[in-house]
Amino acid sequence: MAPSVFEHVVIPTSSFLAPTTDNRGLPARKTQYQNALPTHGVPTPNSSNPRGPRLLTVDEALQYSPLSSIIPFSPDIVPLPTARLPGSNPIFSTQPEKTAARQPLSVLDRDIVHSRGQSRLAQAALKDLRPYLDKNVITNFKFKVPTGLNASRSGGQPSSGRAVHQERPVKLGPFANMILNSAGLAHRYPTPNSPDSVSPRQRDLARPLQKTPRVTQPTPDKQQKLPATPATPAAPKPYTQNKAAFSQNASATVNPAELSNSSDSKLYPIVLIKPLPADSRPSDYHKIVDDESENSHKRKDQRATANEALYRLQEIIQDIFEADDQSQPDISGAISAEASQFFVSSRYEDREINTLAPAIHFKLEAALQKVISLGNYDEIPIDHLCRLQSLCQGGLASAESSEIHVESMTGLEDGSRWVQGLEALDSGLRASRTILRIMTGGRQEKEIYSEELLQNVLGVVEKVLNSSIIPIVEARSTGVSSAVFETASSHKKIVSQLLYDVKKVMNLLAGLLTKMEMAETIITTMEFFATRLLFVDNAHVEKESILGIQKFETLRRTAMDLIAEIFARYPQQRPFLFDEILTSLQKLPVKGQQARQYKLADGTSIQLVSALIIRLVQTSATSSASRKEGKRRLPLNGAEERKFDGSEAEDQDSQSSSQHVDSSDEVSSEDASDSTYDIAIQRLANKATLLNNNAAQNAQYVIRFYVSRGMTAPKTGDQPHRQLLDMFAEDLIAVLGLPEWPAAELLLRALLIRMVDISESKQYNALAKTMALELLGLMGSAISELVASTRHSARNLENHDSDRSGYLRQLLDDYMEGKLEANEVLGWEGPYHVVMQYLHPGGSEDKQTTSARGYYLTQWAKAVSSGNLTCNTVTEKLANRLRRMLSRAEWNTLDETEPVSSNQIRLAYALTILSMDFCRQFDRILKILLDSISSESTTVRNRSLKSVTQMLEKDPSLLDRARNVKIKIMNCTTDNSSMVRDSALMIIGKCILLQPMLEQEFCKTVLILTNDPAIGVRKRSMRLLKDIYLRNNRKDIKAAIADSLLQRTKDLDAGVSDLARQTFEDIWFAPFWKLVESAEQSAQEKISLQSQVSLIVGTVQRGEGVALVMVSLIQNVLLNVSKMAAANFKVCKALVAIAFEIMIDSQDLPERLEQRHILQTLTIFARANPRLFAADQLHYLQPYTTNLSSSDDLNLFRSVVVIFRCVLPILSTIQHGLLREVQTALLHSISKLGKAELDEVAACLWTINGTLNNPEKLVKLTISVLKNLHNSERVDFADSKQSESLNRVKKYIRIAGYFGKHCDFELFNENFRDSLSWWKGSSVAGLIVGSLSPFAKANQPLSLRCDALEGIGLMCQSWPYQFNQENISRTFESILEEGSAELQNIVLSSFRDFFSKQERQAGVKSDEVLDPENLPANGKLGGSMTASDGDGASALIAQRFLKSILRIALASQDLSALRATQVITSINRQGLVHPKESGPALVALETSTNQDIADVAFQEHRSLHLQHESMFEREYMRAIQEAFKYQKEIVKDSLGTTKQPPVSKLHGMFEIIKTSKGKYQKKFLSNFCSKIDFDIAKLDTPGAMNYTLQYSRFLIENLAFFDYSRLDELLHTISCMEKVVASTGSGIAHSISTEVFQIKVEQITEQLESNEPGAASAAGAANTDVEPRRLRQLTTGAIILSCLWEARSYLRRLFGLQAGQQRRDNKAKATVKDLNKAPARVHGVSGERLLNAIAEKINSLENHEAILKQCQDFVELLSIDSEVKVAEDGDDEGGPAETPSADEEDAATSGTGGSKTLKRKASVSVGGTPHKKKKARPSAGKRKKSGKGDPEGEEWD
């Protein structure tokens, strides 16, 4: 037998017999570490070569033998020796096996033939094989020519006796030929030149093989492309680059036996060159130039670098081992100095151990890392690596045994021990790095992968994190951790090194996960410390961070990568990871910048947990991960899956079958290109659906967790779940447009589905619906923002010449027009292709991009397989291509040529996202929000409005596209809820900002809302009107806004009135502050002032009340209290000057203003501040005092006179001629004037008299009038013939009254006495009053009496002592007692004006507008006279007429009542009477339907309450009764609430009471409830029954609809109500039971023992002999108490109160803070049901059967409690039984059983709507007095 070829092969020195590449086409690992150690005398075959290697021992060679392993043969294993030639062993043992193996190749060959060389499948397979043929990857074998063969050929003669060698030509198949032709490998043949002419390169090639110590992997080189050579028509002939070599090889015959028996014992490989075929041509070959290119040098350099790195590592290892050998102590116990450089001493279990020094760890790890990266790691002996790991175990042991407790550090000694412990931990981390670096090299030996060693590494990591890193990160400079902070700060360097090392260790652990399978215990350990790092409370600012905020965040990212790697490698761990992350969410911060520390590529930040969740969802959709799916899966609700996916989810069997079909398809003999369209789509769907479902399940699991926690937690509560949900949604939106986070769309889609379900379902409360609407608005805004950003990206591509850019822009245009088709989006050249090209970079990539690419590919495949594409071959090819990509998870089927820009990527990705399900739901989101605006819940309506606003801000075009948006908003402005109206105003403001053209459409609505009852709505409307005013140029709109704001300057709320005045200052005066500062005004500035004057004039014409309010407004802005009073004065003065210019010449104005309107406006400025006028301006007014020929002239005249009257007293220089002309004109016009003009003329004439000093004319005029009056005293004006005389006398009376009011004639007594002989008095005022008194008598006509009383009143205002005249007092008294309403109104008006004047003189602020004639005289001219005895007159009126005035105020709601109310308030303001005399009347008047009366009474009541709170406490019960009487008799409505919406009539009183302390309020509520209580014995008459019933109903309804501001008030009220029912109701129930139903005690006991619900109520029949009056009496009492219980139950439903809380609140003082909060109302509880129930009970008195039904219901109410549960032991003994609570729909019925009086205690709590479960009250014998609720959480009432 011929000797085996392996007998002469030295295995360690040659590796060419083994494959040089693995099954992936990558360089194979080396199989031997070249050891340079001496052979120790062992002979070797290469002993002649000193550099040659030694032979392996049996133990060393055994690992390369197949006898050492049971695993399948690997290229690293040398096959068994055999006598046959190498390669003669057949690969396939049987022919069928060979046929089956060649079947795929046959398919490819047939496809090439059928497609005529254009097979896409073959091209794809060729591209897949190209990496394995790349010469830069595979090993380059360089065979040497044997010496003997070369010598024999050099002679040129072949050996004799040898047959010529002929090789049978091999014919390749089509696919093999395609591979051969496409291969770029250059094969060259050695040239047998003479030894002298051999080049150095040839000499190198001819060098003996054994002298080369090993074959090193060549450096990757660029593939050379051979240039094509044109064919020539020459005849074919053999041709090669080396003809001599070819000719010799062609005739050579090699005998292996000869070679083996030759004298040379060395074995050489022989290369046999085949002869060329006969038909070959030179043109078929390419010339290859043999040069030493740059790539060759690179390969040599890399080989040298690798050898150098290996050598350096060898030296380090050898030094460490030698030091370890020397580190053993000698006999003296000493350790060598050299060993001490490599090892340091550490403590472990009270003994010293040697551990590698930190520097040695650093050098060793760096060397290992370099060798691993250069590919020489496999050449290191395994025993060396194991020994290195064992040397590192000392560091691990020392670190694990170190005692370090950073939390308990107190002093310097603890700090020093802590530092020592840190050094031990650092040593352990360095050892861990070295161990893990050895493990991550990729070696196959199991010896280095010790599970115990890995557990020790994880133990060190856990210890470092728990004992050092985490406590240091959580330490702060203040608080309990300040000592830790201070100590760690002083050793920041070592702590930072610790952080760096632990991060490196975690990175190595993540890398190790990708290379080996680990035990579950190890995986669990890594999960725990990685997830804990995610939720550590990092510092908020840098100064509070020892390690640095961002440095620790990098450690968090490392932990995130570790978790993601576990998630990808171990599917069975996925549920646990999700649960661990989600249940720890509440540890995250929710406020400030510290909540988001994960920075994205675009600069924005999100939560690290959000990034991790998105990444995990993406990972679960990649094909590589899906193949490792475990059995345990996250639960997914079937209904949700159908809703999410749009189709029924496949069951397990169908999924497994689809997997089988898909997997079998990979090796099917039929190619995908031959399959039909349906098969291709189905195969793609099977794979894509499975992957998509994995991601969908995980996404829904996360969303369900977030939502379930978030919708039960308030947004501002202690639990952060709601804030976390909002932040998670915001994070998803932040990354929605980034291609690296495609799973954000899936999570948002799942969130959208959940929110839609909550918002449309009726089973969720208002809190959950509000949350859903808020998130829907957020998501809708995100879609709008994505569209806007996409359009921006498209605009950036407008100047881009690329065809791809134009195509993407066209797709966006189609999308905006709604014409985008699925074929364009999903096609191979569409936007998906662009994004995938971006997500598959040529170089290295991170795991995040990998997960994004896999998920995005799955979504593409899922969309293609959905069946929305056109059925054609293009779609079929796309499906097949995507299926293959999913199987390989690689993007290796494209030759990309055109790079993509960032704008192209953003646009392409946005197009794909916009075409997915989430963005397609935009219209549905908008519809839900708009529909929710009409919800029954106030909070839901309010939230939907805000969400719509949020969407409009992002996309204003919604106002045009959705027409009903504006209608919904307008409807909300009339909503019953002030909160909804306020939100509607807010959204109107946003709409106007977004589309200014909507101002006119919304302005009218905003103007109406300035009169809204809610203060906040009024304020917001005024702010909005201010903005509209400043932006608008239309005069009518500005005037309307100014008018509306003017009315608010007199608002009862000081905040509203102040805001209105400030707004006026901003819009009317502030724009002209700078303008009036200039000395000369430009034409444009004058036009601006003219426009402002025109606007003011237009505003004045809008109503009669505008002028009076404007006077007060201008006075306010000109007062010194205004910061800009001086500037405002200049503006007003300029406006007055411009007004005079316009009045004189208005031709330049675009619109002509009437002079009467301008003069009317000037009177306002004159009344406000006369100093705004100049003396020369009055000359322009003098002509208007003459020629009163028409009503227009009279209007002008009146305005001019007012200006003269106001301005003349303050002018320093007045021309007497002008004054005389004015005086004369005024005197001549007296007979033509009315009351208003006569009042002004009288005051003006007396003012002019102060300068001209000629009172004779006025005295003569007055004397003449008095004479005529005296002569007319005896005339019977009742005679119709005296009509002319009547009119004439009326004029005399008016002249006498007004001139007597304004003129002081007391100095001219003699003139009057001389002219009036019949007058002997001493006072001219008395003379005038006496002259008017006869005409005020009862026998005079009413009109004459009115004028006479008005004149007397005018005189009494200026001369108050006239009130003391007995005849005047009697006249007023008789009129107030029995006079007509018109006369009473005149008298009351006189009182009001008198008191107003007195208040102004006393400096008391009045509600009435200041009259200019009463201003003090501050100039040359004198003012009106001031009385000195006004105080006496005031006291007289208050004491003598107050009762009559109160009676008039409470007798009607007309003008007399308003005047009386005003007088009452004036009397109280001056303190003339005790407040209790008018307090109850004010409370009653607050309930008036006349809003003016109610406002005046409310203002004064509030003022009195603040001043006399304790006194009013005792008067409120009388006031309530007065209010009931007023409502019943005057308003004709005895109900306690107004209608639609129901509002308490006493709400004003309760609002004032709420300003007091809590104790005061509770006492009031107790007294209020006590007024409902009654004595059944006193209801003995029908009148008493009806009154008590109506009064009780009034009180009950008010009590039910009070606006309770604090929870303790509400609880106290309910408690008082229950006490009334318990105390009074038990007796009435007993009487009804015994008298009406004739139930005896024995019957009750038997029925209660039977424990049958309702037995007591049905015990006996009604007694027909009961007295009707008695029956009605008992029924009335039962109805009152039943109505009170209905109100109590309504309050509990309205505010969501549950049983048992009040008792706990009394015990736990910690809830005081909660009790002071406002109670929250429950959605859906309406007061209409309560009112209907009360009305039904009261109306039952009209029917006998209904009366008996009410009695029966009341007995059942106090006998059976359908909600009470059996009490448990352990509660308070002896406590009173608790009252029941009502459920959401049915009124509760409960009470006491039998005839015993059972005290009830309120026991309610805040917690939501009560449970609906009911349970009958137990029998009397088994019932406990008190107890706790049952464990199921049902109510115990």
Side-chain angles (χ1 to χ4, degrees), residues 100-334:
R102 292 186 58 87
Q103 193 173 17
L105 184 61
S106 302
V107 172
L108 291 172
D109 292 338
R110 287 198 305 271
D111 190 68
I112 292 175
V113 173
H114 295 163
S115 62
R116 298 181 180 180
Q118 303 298 323
S119 171
R120 289 184 176 270
L121 182 61
Q123 292 293 337
L126 179 61
K127 290 180 181 180
D128 292 341
L129 290 174
R130 277 178 181 173
Y132 299 91
L133 300 178
D134 188 358
K135 71 173 184 176
N136 298 327
V137 177
I138 65 177
T139 303
N140 185 17
F141 293 102
K142 298 179 180 180
F143 299 103
K144 316 302 179 185
V145 180
T147 304
L149 181 62
N150 191 27
S152 64
R153 290 177 181 176
S154 61
Q157 299 296 332
S159 301
S160 60
R162 296 179 181 178
V164 177
H165 176 72
Q166 294 182 355
E167 183 178 357
R168 182 175 55 88
V170 178
K171 185 178 180 180
L172 301 177
F175 182 70
N177 193 36
M178 178 185 293
I179 294 177
L180 179 63
N181 293 334
S182 63
L185 299 177
H187 302 281
R188 56 169 59 108
Y189 302 93
T191 303
N193 296 333
S194 62
D196 296 335
S197 61
V198 175
S199 65
R201 173 67 176 166
Q202 292 169 340
R203 285 197 300 269
D204 183 70
L205 293 175
R207 187 173 299 161
L209 183 63
Q210 72 272 18
K211 293 186 178 181
T212 302
R214 52 190 168 85
V215 178
T216 308
Q217 176 186 348
T219 306
D221 191 9
K222 296 181 179 179
Q223 182 176 348
Q224 297 181 358
K225 294 185 178 180
L226 303 178
T229 303
T232 60
K237 61 180 181 179
Y239 178 80
T240 183
Q241 292 178 342
N242 196 333
K243 299 180 180 179
F246 175 78
S247 60
Q248 294 180 15
N249 288 331
S251 59
T253 302
V254 179
N255 189 351
E258 265 186 279
L259 291 176
S260 63
N261 296 328
S262 63
S263 60
D264 189 355
S265 61
K266 297 181 176 61
L267 198 66
Y268 297 94
I270 299 174
V271 179
L272 300 179
I273 302 176
K274 301 181 301 180
L276 294 177
D279 57 349
S280 62
R281 295 176 300 174
S283 60
D284 295 338
Y285 300 90
H286 303 279
K287 183 177 181 180
I288 300 176
V289 180
D290 187 10
D291 60 342
E292 294 296 328
S293 63
E294 180 182 358
N295 293 331
S296 177
H297 290 295
K298 289 183 179 180
R299 288 194 294 269
K300 289 182 179 180
D301 293 341
Q302 186 175 8
R303 183 166 58 249
T305 303
N307 292 336
E308 178 65 21
L310 186 62
Y311 178 74
R312 293 296 304 165
L313 178 60
Q314 171 192 351
E315 287 185 338
I316 295 173
I317 294 175
Q318 194 66 31
D319 291 343
I320 292 174
F321 289 169
E322 291 178 359
D324 182 38
D325 294 337
Q326 298 173 7
S327 65
Q328 303 300 326
D330 55 15
I331 300 175
S332 62

Side-chain angles (χ1 to χ4, degrees), residues 403-424 467-468 472 482-492 494-495:
E403 295 294 334
I404 177 170
H405 301 285
V406 66
E407 299 90 344
S408 59
M409 288 192 306
T410 57
L412 295 177
E413 184 178 354
D414 292 336
S416 62
R417 287 200 302 267
W418 178 69
V419 173
Q420 294 176 0
L422 290 184
E423 294 175 351
S467 63
S468 299
I472 291 173
S482 58
V484 177
F485 186 89
E486 183 178 356
T487 305
S489 298
S490 60
H491 300 86
K492 186 175 181 180
I494 187 173
V495 173

